[in-house]
Amino acid sequence: MLCIYVSLIAISFKQYKLWDYRPILLVAFGMLLLSISAFLDLITRYSPDNPICLVDISLRLSGICFYVAAFLIFRALLESQPETPWNRLNIYSFLYGGMCLLYVLPAYVWVSFDVTSGIWIILSDTVFFPILNTLTALPALEILLLVLRRLKRVSMGSTAIRSFMMLGAGSLIAFLGSGILFIFPNIIGMTLSNISLAISVAMVIYSLASAPLFLSLSSSVLYRIIIASNADSSIPLASVDWFDRSMTTPELTSAALHGASILLNEITSTNEINEAISRIKLRSREVIIERTDHFTGYLVAENPDKVCHIALKRITRIYEERYGSSGGLPAHIPISQDEFVSDILSVFSFSYQLPE
């Protein structure tokens, strides 16, 4: 479990560095707390010779770390939406905070060695413990409904399918693992249950880390994305459409957007979302612009939300990371279409239309 959790911490922090997307950071801290919880369990829960005062402090801290970690991970999944359900998150924080408080108060929670299972267990005689513990499953139910809604709008050819399959497999393993203790109520059952929990958490977290936007239920309609070299932004290095064929050629579109971008920068500035992003309103559509040292990305969309901003920022930074060290790309040398479409499918995993 510790090896899996530590690997997930490294993956999460690496992805956060690449995406600069706060939900991934919350996941990283959640996995760090899960690692601490697993370590505390490992050093105290399985030995009957441990002093009861050490076991008591260790398992209390383990429980607190576990519930805080679970809340951070659930919050990360819900915060990946264009509109975060803050009212419900406040309720969830109250429930998880209540469980942490019970672990702090000696009058409500204590430890005892269970001879049958051969491990130290947490006991409580207050009715609040099972009630609050059951209610902490509410975020999982909301995420399940979110997954079902999102599945209705996912393209079968999208890379998001892979993340959905991994998420589903992880959830199934967690469900099956929860029943192991009823079949083997001993140290073997506890070990197998912990292993299944670690595997399920790994699959769920990795599905999010590999495609951070795949659960985002965006209402934006994407039309076209263009990447151009800053050396000459009027010539596109790559361009893809989702389903709109009413626009002009990529060359004319890029030239027009380039000119409008220059004019916009001369007459105004914006701090919305990021100082490097500008916006141009085109009737019912908008163009959002993201710049790096060597590249400029243009996304034409209807009702663009924060998910679109994050995706455009990431796709532009991909090419900065890939070619920026060599001074970018010459304006007259296009990016391979297969390369560009593959990157678009990976980053814009929230889109329900495949690019053409």
Side-chain angles (χ1 to χ4, degrees), residues 68-101:
V68 174
F71 174 74
L72 288 177
I73 293 172
F74 283 133
R75 171 169 175 161
L77 293 174
L78 294 176
E79 198 171 325
S80 67
Q81 301 308 302
E83 296 183 0
T84 305
W86 294 114
N87 291 336
R88 292 193 298 278
L89 275 174
N90 289 335
I91 296 175
Y92 299 154
S93 65
F94 173 80
L95 297 176
Y96 280 87
M99 285 301 301
C100 292
L101 182 62

PDB file of all heavy atoms in Angstrom, residues 68-101:
ATOM      1  N   VAL A  68      -9.616  12.974   6.333  1.00  0.00           N
ATOM      2  CA  VAL A  68      -9.210  14.217   5.674  1.00  0.00           C
ATOM      3  C   VAL A  68      -8.763  13.922   4.243  1.00  0.00           C
ATOM      4  O   VAL A  68      -9.094  14.660   3.307  1.00  0.00           O
ATOM      5  CB  VAL A  68      -8.079  14.910   6.464  1.00  0.00           C
ATOM      6  CG1 VAL A  68      -7.553  16.122   5.694  1.00  0.00           C
ATOM      7  CG2 VAL A  68      -8.582  15.351   7.830  1.00  0.00           C
ATOM      8  N   ALA A  69      -8.029  12.823   4.050  1.00  0.00           N
ATOM      9  CA  ALA A  69      -7.579  12.439   2.711  1.00  0.00           C
ATOM     10  C   ALA A  69      -8.757  12.146   1.798  1.00  0.00           C
ATOM     11  O   ALA A  69      -8.788  12.581   0.638  1.00  0.00           O
ATOM     12  CB  ALA A  69      -6.660  11.222   2.804  1.00  0.00           C
ATOM     13  N   ALA A  70      -9.735  11.399   2.315  1.00  0.00           N
ATOM     14  CA  ALA A  70     -10.917  11.076   1.515  1.00  0.00           C
ATOM     15  C   ALA A  70     -11.664  12.341   1.104  1.00  0.00           C
ATOM     16  O   ALA A  70     -12.113  12.475  -0.049  1.00  0.00           O
ATOM     17  CB  ALA A  70     -11.837  10.139   2.294  1.00  0.00           C
ATOM     18  N   PHE A  71     -11.785  13.287   2.034  1.00  0.00           N
ATOM     19  CA  PHE A  71     -12.473  14.536   1.708  1.00  0.00           C
ATOM     20  C   PHE A  71     -11.717  15.318   0.643  1.00  0.00           C
ATOM     21  O   PHE A  71     -12.325  15.862  -0.284  1.00  0.00           O
ATOM     22  CB  PHE A  71     -12.634  15.391   2.961  1.00  0.00           C
ATOM     23  CG  PHE A  71     -13.201  16.759   2.680  1.00  0.00           C
ATOM     24  CD1 PHE A  71     -14.546  16.913   2.365  1.00  0.00           C
ATOM     25  CD2 PHE A  71     -12.395  17.887   2.701  1.00  0.00           C
ATOM     26  CE1 PHE A  71     -15.072  18.168   2.080  1.00  0.00           C
ATOM     27  CE2 PHE A  71     -12.909  19.143   2.427  1.00  0.00           C
ATOM     28  CZ  PHE A  71     -14.256  19.281   2.116  1.00  0.00           C
ATOM     29  N   LEU A  72     -10.393  15.390   0.744  1.00  0.00           N
ATOM     30  CA  LEU A  72      -9.604  16.124  -0.248  1.00  0.00           C
ATOM     31  C   LEU A  72      -9.746  15.506  -1.638  1.00  0.00           C
ATOM     32  O   LEU A  72      -9.853  16.225  -2.643  1.00  0.00           O
ATOM     33  CB  LEU A  72      -8.126  16.152   0.167  1.00  0.00           C
ATOM     34  CG  LEU A  72      -7.767  17.037   1.358  1.00  0.00           C
ATOM     35  CD1 LEU A  72      -6.291  16.898   1.680  1.00  0.00           C
ATOM     36  CD2 LEU A  72      -8.131  18.492   1.087  1.00  0.00           C
ATOM     37  N   ILE A  73      -9.766  14.186  -1.711  1.00  0.00           N
ATOM     38  CA  ILE A  73      -9.893  13.514  -3.006  1.00  0.00           C
ATOM     39  C   ILE A  73     -11.279  13.730  -3.583  1.00  0.00           C
ATOM     40  O   ILE A  73     -11.438  14.031  -4.779  1.00  0.00           O
ATOM     41  CB  ILE A  73      -9.573  12.015  -2.863  1.00  0.00           C
ATOM     42  CG1 ILE A  73      -8.088  11.835  -2.511  1.00  0.00           C
ATOM     43  CG2 ILE A  73      -9.911  11.263  -4.144  1.00  0.00           C
ATOM     44  CD1 ILE A  73      -7.696  10.422  -2.159  1.00  0.00           C
ATOM     45  N   PHE A  74     -12.323  13.588  -2.754  1.00  0.00           N
ATOM     46  CA  PHE A  74     -13.680  13.857  -3.236  1.00  0.00           C
ATOM     47  C   PHE A  74     -13.819  15.307  -3.683  1.00  0.00           C
ATOM     48  O   PHE A  74     -14.444  15.601  -4.707  1.00  0.00           O
ATOM     49  CB  PHE A  74     -14.705  13.540  -2.143  1.00  0.00           C
ATOM     50  CG  PHE A  74     -14.987  12.084  -1.968  1.00  0.00           C
ATOM     51  CD1 PHE A  74     -15.014  11.512  -0.708  1.00  0.00           C
ATOM     52  CD2 PHE A  74     -15.236  11.279  -3.061  1.00  0.00           C
ATOM     53  CE1 PHE A  74     -15.275  10.159  -0.540  1.00  0.00           C
ATOM     54  CE2 PHE A  74     -15.499   9.924  -2.911  1.00  0.00           C
ATOM     55  CZ  PHE A  74     -15.519   9.371  -1.650  1.00  0.00           C
ATOM     56  N   ARG A  75     -13.247  16.216  -2.901  1.00  0.00           N
ATOM     57  CA  ARG A  75     -13.319  17.629  -3.265  1.00  0.00           C
ATOM     58  C   ARG A  75     -12.627  17.879  -4.594  1.00  0.00           C
ATOM     59  O   ARG A  75     -13.101  18.666  -5.412  1.00  0.00           O
ATOM     60  CB  ARG A  75     -12.695  18.483  -2.170  1.00  0.00           C
ATOM     61  CG  ARG A  75     -12.553  19.943  -2.580  1.00  0.00           C
ATOM     62  CD  ARG A  75     -12.194  20.858  -1.458  1.00  0.00           C
ATOM     63  NE  ARG A  75     -11.970  22.216  -1.944  1.00  0.00           N
ATOM     64  CZ  ARG A  75     -11.994  23.293  -1.204  1.00  0.00           C
ATOM     65  NH1 ARG A  75     -12.246  23.179   0.082  1.00  0.00           N
ATOM     66  NH2 ARG A  75     -11.782  24.478  -1.717  1.00  0.00           N
ATOM     67  N   ALA A  76     -11.494  17.234  -4.818  1.00  0.00           N
ATOM     68  CA  ALA A  76     -10.773  17.400  -6.073  1.00  0.00           C
ATOM     69  C   ALA A  76     -11.634  16.957  -7.266  1.00  0.00           C
ATOM     70  O   ALA A  76     -11.692  17.642  -8.290  1.00  0.00           O
ATOM     71  CB  ALA A  76      -9.469  16.608  -6.042  1.00  0.00           C
ATOM     72  N   LEU A  77     -12.296  15.814  -7.123  1.00  0.00           N
ATOM     73  CA  LEU A  77     -13.143  15.321  -8.206  1.00  0.00           C
ATOM     74  C   LEU A  77     -14.299  16.271  -8.486  1.00  0.00           C
ATOM     75  O   LEU A  77     -14.646  16.528  -9.650  1.00  0.00           O
ATOM     76  CB  LEU A  77     -13.671  13.930  -7.863  1.00  0.00           C
ATOM     77  CG  LEU A  77     -12.618  12.815  -7.791  1.00  0.00           C
ATOM     78  CD1 LEU A  77     -13.249  11.529  -7.290  1.00  0.00           C
ATOM     79  CD2 LEU A  77     -11.967  12.595  -9.146  1.00  0.00           C
ATOM     80  N   LEU A  78     -14.904  16.827  -7.438  1.00  0.00           N
ATOM     81  CA  LEU A  78     -16.027  17.738  -7.624  1.00  0.00           C
ATOM     82  C   LEU A  78     -15.561  19.123  -8.076  1.00  0.00           C
ATOM     83  O   LEU A  78     -16.269  19.807  -8.820  1.00  0.00           O
ATOM     84  CB  LEU A  78     -16.827  17.852  -6.331  1.00  0.00           C
ATOM     85  CG  LEU A  78     -17.545  16.572  -5.891  1.00  0.00           C
ATOM     86  CD1 LEU A  78     -18.235  16.774  -4.547  1.00  0.00           C
ATOM     87  CD2 LEU A  78     -18.564  16.133  -6.935  1.00  0.00           C
ATOM     88  N   GLU A  79     -14.357  19.521  -7.657  1.00  0.00           N
ATOM     89  CA  GLU A  79     -13.842  20.831  -8.057  1.00  0.00           C
ATOM     90  C   GLU A  79     -13.366  20.842  -9.501  1.00  0.00           C
ATOM     91  O   GLU A  79     -13.081  21.894 -10.063  1.00  0.00           O
ATOM     92  CB  GLU A  79     -12.702  21.243  -7.126  1.00  0.00           C
ATOM     93  CG  GLU A  79     -12.391  22.728  -7.163  1.00  0.00           C
ATOM     94  CD  GLU A  79     -11.412  23.164  -6.097  1.00  0.00           C
ATOM     95  OE1 GLU A  79     -11.460  22.607  -4.982  1.00  0.00           O
ATOM     96  OE2 GLU A  79     -10.599  24.059  -6.381  1.00  0.00           O
ATOM     97  N   SER A  80     -13.278  19.661 -10.129  1.00  0.00           N
ATOM     98  CA  SER A  80     -12.883  19.601 -11.535  1.00  0.00           C
ATOM     99  C   SER A  80     -14.018  20.020 -12.463  1.00  0.00           C
ATOM    100  O   SER A  80     -13.824  20.090 -13.674  1.00  0.00           O
ATOM    101  CB  SER A  80     -12.423  18.181 -11.895  1.00  0.00           C
ATOM    102  OG  SER A  80     -13.519  17.270 -11.837  1.00  0.00           O
ATOM    103  N   GLN A  81     -15.190  20.317 -11.893  1.00  0.00           N
ATOM    104  CA  GLN A  81     -16.326  20.741 -12.702  1.00  0.00           C
ATOM    105  C   GLN A  81     -16.266  22.243 -12.982  1.00  0.00           C
ATOM    106  O   GLN A  81     -15.679  23.000 -12.204  1.00  0.00           O
ATOM    107  CB  GLN A  81     -17.639  20.407 -11.980  1.00  0.00           C
ATOM    108  CG  GLN A  81     -17.809  18.936 -11.683  1.00  0.00           C
ATOM    109  CD  GLN A  81     -17.613  18.086 -12.913  1.00  0.00           C
ATOM    110  OE1 GLN A  81     -18.299  18.242 -13.917  1.00  0.00           O
ATOM    111  NE2 GLN A  81     -16.643  17.191 -12.863  1.00  0.00           N
ATOM    112  N   PRO A  82     -16.867  22.692 -14.114  1.00  0.00           N
ATOM    113  CA  PRO A  82     -16.896  24.134 -14.398  1.00  0.00           C
ATOM    114  C   PRO A  82     -17.547  24.938 -13.286  1.00  0.00           C
ATOM    115  O   PRO A  82     -17.130  26.052 -12.985  1.00  0.00           O
ATOM    116  CB  PRO A  82     -17.710  24.210 -15.701  1.00  0.00           C
ATOM    117  CG  PRO A  82     -17.536  22.880 -16.344  1.00  0.00           C
ATOM    118  CD  PRO A  82     -17.448  21.896 -15.206  1.00  0.00           C
ATOM    119  N   GLU A  83     -18.584  24.357 -12.660  1.00  0.00           N
ATOM    120  CA  GLU A  83     -19.256  25.004 -11.536  1.00  0.00           C
ATOM    121  C   GLU A  83     -19.161  24.085 -10.317  1.00  0.00           C
ATOM    122  O   GLU A  83     -19.859  23.087 -10.228  1.00  0.00           O
ATOM    123  CB  GLU A  83     -20.716  25.310 -11.876  1.00  0.00           C
ATOM    124  CG  GLU A  83     -20.882  26.311 -13.019  1.00  0.00           C
ATOM    125  CD  GLU A  83     -22.341  26.645 -13.276  1.00  0.00           C
ATOM    126  OE1 GLU A  83     -23.202  26.091 -12.553  1.00  0.00           O
ATOM    127  OE2 GLU A  83     -22.606  27.424 -14.202  1.00  0.00           O
ATOM    128  N   THR A  84     -18.295  24.433  -9.401  1.00  0.00           N
ATOM    129  CA  THR A  84     -18.076  23.601  -8.222  1.00  0.00           C
ATOM    130  C   THR A  84     -19.264  23.716  -7.266  1.00  0.00           C
ATOM    131  O   THR A  84     -19.695  24.819  -6.948  1.00  0.00           O
ATOM    132  CB  THR A  84     -16.797  24.033  -7.495  1.00  0.00           C
ATOM    133  OG1 THR A  84     -15.706  24.006  -8.419  1.00  0.00           O
ATOM    134  CG2 THR A  84     -16.490  23.100  -6.337  1.00  0.00           C
ATOM    135  N   PRO A  85     -19.813  22.576  -6.792  1.00  0.00           N
ATOM    136  CA  PRO A  85     -20.965  22.614  -5.864  1.00  0.00           C
ATOM    137  C   PRO A  85     -20.528  22.963  -4.444  1.00  0.00           C
ATOM    138  O   PRO A  85     -20.478  22.107  -3.553  1.00  0.00           O
ATOM    139  CB  PRO A  85     -21.509  21.182  -5.948  1.00  0.00           C
ATOM    140  CG  PRO A  85     -20.309  20.349  -6.258  1.00  0.00           C
ATOM    141  CD  PRO A  85     -19.431  21.194  -7.145  1.00  0.00           C
ATOM    142  N   TRP A  86     -20.229  24.245  -4.214  1.00  0.00           N
ATOM    143  CA  TRP A  86     -19.678  24.649  -2.927  1.00  0.00           C
ATOM    144  C   TRP A  86     -20.639  24.401  -1.768  1.00  0.00           C
ATOM    145  O   TRP A  86     -20.204  24.055  -0.655  1.00  0.00           O
ATOM    146  CB  TRP A  86     -19.290  26.130  -2.973  1.00  0.00           C
ATOM    147  CG  TRP A  86     -18.160  26.418  -3.903  1.00  0.00           C
ATOM    148  CD1 TRP A  86     -18.205  27.144  -5.054  1.00  0.00           C
ATOM    149  CD2 TRP A  86     -16.806  25.969  -3.787  1.00  0.00           C
ATOM    150  NE1 TRP A  86     -16.975  27.185  -5.665  1.00  0.00           N
ATOM    151  CE2 TRP A  86     -16.090  26.470  -4.900  1.00  0.00           C
ATOM    152  CE3 TRP A  86     -16.127  25.195  -2.846  1.00  0.00           C
ATOM    153  CZ2 TRP A  86     -14.740  26.222  -5.092  1.00  0.00           C
ATOM    154  CZ3 TRP A  86     -14.770  24.948  -3.040  1.00  0.00           C
ATOM    155  CH2 TRP A  86     -14.102  25.466  -4.153  1.00  0.00           C
ATOM    156  N   ASN A  87     -21.944  24.570  -1.972  1.00  0.00           N
ATOM    157  CA  ASN A  87     -22.902  24.358  -0.879  1.00  0.00           C
ATOM    158  C   ASN A  87     -22.840  22.919  -0.370  1.00  0.00           C
ATOM    159  O   ASN A  87     -22.807  22.669   0.843  1.00  0.00           O
ATOM    160  CB  ASN A  87     -24.317  24.690  -1.342  1.00  0.00           C
ATOM    161  CG  ASN A  87     -24.517  26.168  -1.577  1.00  0.00           C
ATOM    162  OD1 ASN A  87     -23.793  26.979  -1.001  1.00  0.00           O
ATOM    163  ND2 ASN A  87     -25.470  26.537  -2.407  1.00  0.00           N
ATOM    164  N   ARG A  88     -22.813  21.971  -1.296  1.00  0.00           N
ATOM    165  CA  ARG A  88     -22.733  20.568  -0.888  1.00  0.00           C
ATOM    166  C   ARG A  88     -21.353  20.238  -0.307  1.00  0.00           C
ATOM    167  O   ARG A  88     -21.242  19.426   0.617  1.00  0.00           O
ATOM    168  CB  ARG A  88     -23.058  19.654  -2.069  1.00  0.00           C
ATOM    169  CG  ARG A  88     -24.520  19.740  -2.506  1.00  0.00           C
ATOM    170  CD  ARG A  88     -24.905  18.623  -3.445  1.00  0.00           C
ATOM    171  NE  ARG A  88     -24.144  18.658  -4.682  1.00  0.00           N
ATOM    172  CZ  ARG A  88     -24.445  19.440  -5.717  1.00  0.00           C
ATOM    173  NH1 ARG A  88     -25.471  20.269  -5.642  1.00  0.00           N
ATOM    174  NH2 ARG A  88     -23.724  19.397  -6.816  1.00  0.00           N
ATOM    175  N   LEU A  89     -20.327  20.854  -0.851  1.00  0.00           N
ATOM    176  CA  LEU A  89     -18.989  20.626  -0.299  1.00  0.00           C
ATOM    177  C   LEU A  89     -18.900  21.087   1.153  1.00  0.00           C
ATOM    178  O   LEU A  89     -18.204  20.478   1.964  1.00  0.00           O
ATOM    179  CB  LEU A  89     -17.939  21.347  -1.151  1.00  0.00           C
ATOM    180  CG  LEU A  89     -17.441  20.586  -2.373  1.00  0.00           C
ATOM    181  CD1 LEU A  89     -16.528  21.460  -3.223  1.00  0.00           C
ATOM    182  CD2 LEU A  89     -16.729  19.298  -1.971  1.00  0.00           C
ATOM    183  N   ASN A  90     -19.601  22.168   1.488  1.00  0.00           N
ATOM    184  CA  ASN A  90     -19.630  22.617   2.885  1.00  0.00           C
ATOM    185  C   ASN A  90     -20.284  21.576   3.787  1.00  0.00           C
ATOM    186  O   ASN A  90     -19.840  21.339   4.917  1.00  0.00           O
ATOM    187  CB  ASN A  90     -20.372  23.948   2.987  1.00  0.00           C
ATOM    188  CG  ASN A  90     -19.592  25.100   2.385  1.00  0.00           C
ATOM    189  OD1 ASN A  90     -18.369  25.054   2.309  1.00  0.00           O
ATOM    190  ND2 ASN A  90     -20.292  26.130   1.940  1.00  0.00           N
ATOM    191  N   ILE A  91     -21.349  20.956   3.286  1.00  0.00           N
ATOM    192  CA  ILE A  91     -22.014  19.896   4.059  1.00  0.00           C
ATOM    193  C   ILE A  91     -21.089  18.702   4.220  1.00  0.00           C
ATOM    194  O   ILE A  91     -20.962  18.121   5.306  1.00  0.00           O
ATOM    195  CB  ILE A  91     -23.326  19.477   3.371  1.00  0.00           C
ATOM    196  CG1 ILE A  91     -24.316  20.654   3.353  1.00  0.00           C
ATOM    197  CG2 ILE A  91     -23.937  18.270   4.077  1.00  0.00           C
ATOM    198  CD1 ILE A  91     -25.596  20.366   2.597  1.00  0.00           C
ATOM    199  N   TYR A  92     -20.407  18.325   3.131  1.00  0.00           N
ATOM    200  CA  TYR A  92     -19.488  17.187   3.200  1.00  0.00           C
ATOM    201  C   TYR A  92     -18.343  17.470   4.172  1.00  0.00           C
ATOM    202  O   TYR A  92     -17.904  16.569   4.905  1.00  0.00           O
ATOM    203  CB  TYR A  92     -18.926  16.874   1.811  1.00  0.00           C
ATOM    204  CG  TYR A  92     -19.973  16.491   0.790  1.00  0.00           C
ATOM    205  CD1 TYR A  92     -19.761  16.698  -0.576  1.00  0.00           C
ATOM    206  CD2 TYR A  92     -21.183  15.927   1.179  1.00  0.00           C
ATOM    207  CE1 TYR A  92     -20.710  16.353  -1.510  1.00  0.00           C
ATOM    208  CE2 TYR A  92     -22.149  15.577   0.254  1.00  0.00           C
ATOM    209  CZ  TYR A  92     -21.906  15.796  -1.097  1.00  0.00           C
ATOM    210  OH  TYR A  92     -22.860  15.458  -2.028  1.00  0.00           O
ATOM    211  N   SER A  93     -17.852  18.704   4.181  1.00  0.00           N
ATOM    212  CA  SER A  93     -16.760  19.042   5.106  1.00  0.00           C
ATOM    213  C   SER A  93     -17.230  18.926   6.557  1.00  0.00           C
ATOM    214  O   SER A  93     -16.458  18.525   7.439  1.00  0.00           O
ATOM    215  CB  SER A  93     -16.246  20.452   4.822  1.00  0.00           C
ATOM    216  OG  SER A  93     -17.245  21.420   5.091  1.00  0.00           O
ATOM    217  N   PHE A  94     -18.501  19.259   6.802  1.00  0.00           N
ATOM    218  CA  PHE A  94     -19.059  19.111   8.154  1.00  0.00           C
ATOM    219  C   PHE A  94     -19.102  17.637   8.555  1.00  0.00           C
ATOM    220  O   PHE A  94     -18.760  17.276   9.693  1.00  0.00           O
ATOM    221  CB  PHE A  94     -20.469  19.711   8.201  1.00  0.00           C
ATOM    222  CG  PHE A  94     -21.195  19.478   9.493  1.00  0.00           C
ATOM    223  CD1 PHE A  94     -20.935  20.256  10.612  1.00  0.00           C
ATOM    224  CD2 PHE A  94     -22.141  18.463   9.586  1.00  0.00           C
ATOM    225  CE1 PHE A  94     -21.594  20.025  11.808  1.00  0.00           C
ATOM    226  CE2 PHE A  94     -22.812  18.226  10.779  1.00  0.00           C
ATOM    227  CZ  PHE A  94     -22.543  19.009  11.890  1.00  0.00           C
ATOM    228  N   LEU A  95     -19.505  16.754   7.638  1.00  0.00           N
ATOM    229  CA  LEU A  95     -19.587  15.322   7.934  1.00  0.00           C
ATOM    230  C   LEU A  95     -18.206  14.735   8.211  1.00  0.00           C
ATOM    231  O   LEU A  95     -18.004  14.013   9.205  1.00  0.00           O
ATOM    232  CB  LEU A  95     -20.252  14.580   6.766  1.00  0.00           C
ATOM    233  CG  LEU A  95     -21.699  14.973   6.458  1.00  0.00           C
ATOM    234  CD1 LEU A  95     -22.192  14.233   5.227  1.00  0.00           C
ATOM    235  CD2 LEU A  95     -22.603  14.684   7.649  1.00  0.00           C
ATOM    236  N   TYR A  96     -17.260  15.045   7.345  1.00  0.00           N
ATOM    237  CA  TYR A  96     -15.911  14.498   7.532  1.00  0.00           C
ATOM    238  C   TYR A  96     -15.233  15.132   8.749  1.00  0.00           C
ATOM    239  O   TYR A  96     -14.474  14.453   9.459  1.00  0.00           O
ATOM    240  CB  TYR A  96     -15.076  14.725   6.266  1.00  0.00           C
ATOM    241  CG  TYR A  96     -15.356  13.708   5.187  1.00  0.00           C
ATOM    242  CD1 TYR A  96     -16.378  13.891   4.268  1.00  0.00           C
ATOM    243  CD2 TYR A  96     -14.598  12.542   5.099  1.00  0.00           C
ATOM    244  CE1 TYR A  96     -16.643  12.953   3.289  1.00  0.00           C
ATOM    245  CE2 TYR A  96     -14.851  11.591   4.121  1.00  0.00           C
ATOM    246  CZ  TYR A  96     -15.877  11.800   3.220  1.00  0.00           C
ATOM    247  OH  TYR A  96     -16.136  10.862   2.260  1.00  0.00           O
ATOM    248  N   GLY A  97     -15.508  16.408   8.988  1.00  0.00           N
ATOM    249  CA  GLY A  97     -14.981  17.045  10.190  1.00  0.00           C
ATOM    250  C   GLY A  97     -15.550  16.420  11.446  1.00  0.00           C
ATOM    251  O   GLY A  97     -14.847  16.286  12.464  1.00  0.00           O
ATOM    252  N   GLY A  98     -16.829  16.015  11.396  1.00  0.00           N
ATOM    253  CA  GLY A  98     -17.449  15.344  12.539  1.00  0.00           C
ATOM    254  C   GLY A  98     -16.773  14.019  12.850  1.00  0.00           C
ATOM    255  O   GLY A  98     -16.546  13.680  14.023  1.00  0.00           O
ATOM    256  N   MET A  99     -16.419  13.255  11.793  1.00  0.00           N
ATOM    257  CA  MET A  99     -15.712  11.993  12.019  1.00  0.00           C
ATOM    258  C   MET A  99     -14.337  12.239  12.632  1.00  0.00           C
ATOM    259  O   MET A  99     -13.919  11.520  13.546  1.00  0.00           O
ATOM    260  CB  MET A  99     -15.573  11.234  10.694  1.00  0.00           C
ATOM    261  CG  MET A  99     -16.846  10.572  10.214  1.00  0.00           C
ATOM    262  SD  MET A  99     -17.521   9.364  11.393  1.00  0.00           S
ATOM    263  CE  MET A  99     -16.165   8.202  11.536  1.00  0.00           C
ATOM    264  N   CYS A 100     -13.647  13.248  12.151  1.00  0.00           N
ATOM    265  CA  CYS A 100     -12.329  13.573  12.718  1.00  0.00           C
ATOM    266  C   CYS A 100     -12.460  13.970  14.185  1.00  0.00           C
ATOM    267  O   CYS A 100     -11.621  13.597  15.019  1.00  0.00           O
ATOM    268  CB  CYS A 100     -11.676  14.702  11.924  1.00  0.00           C
ATOM    269  SG  CYS A 100     -11.202  14.240  10.239  1.00  0.00           S
ATOM    270  N   LEU A 101     -13.516  14.718  14.512  1.00  0.00           N
ATOM    271  CA  LEU A 101     -13.727  15.140  15.900  1.00  0.00           C
ATOM    272  C   LEU A 101     -13.971  13.942  16.803  1.00  0.00           C
ATOM    273  O   LEU A 101     -13.472  13.892  17.940  1.00  0.00           O
ATOM    274  CB  LEU A 101     -14.904  16.113  15.960  1.00  0.00           C
ATOM    275  CG  LEU A 101     -15.227  16.690  17.348  1.00  0.00           C
ATOM    276  CD1 LEU A 101     -14.040  17.497  17.874  1.00  0.00           C
ATOM    277  CD2 LEU A 101     -16.473  17.563  17.290  1.00  0.00           C
TER     278      LEU A 101
END
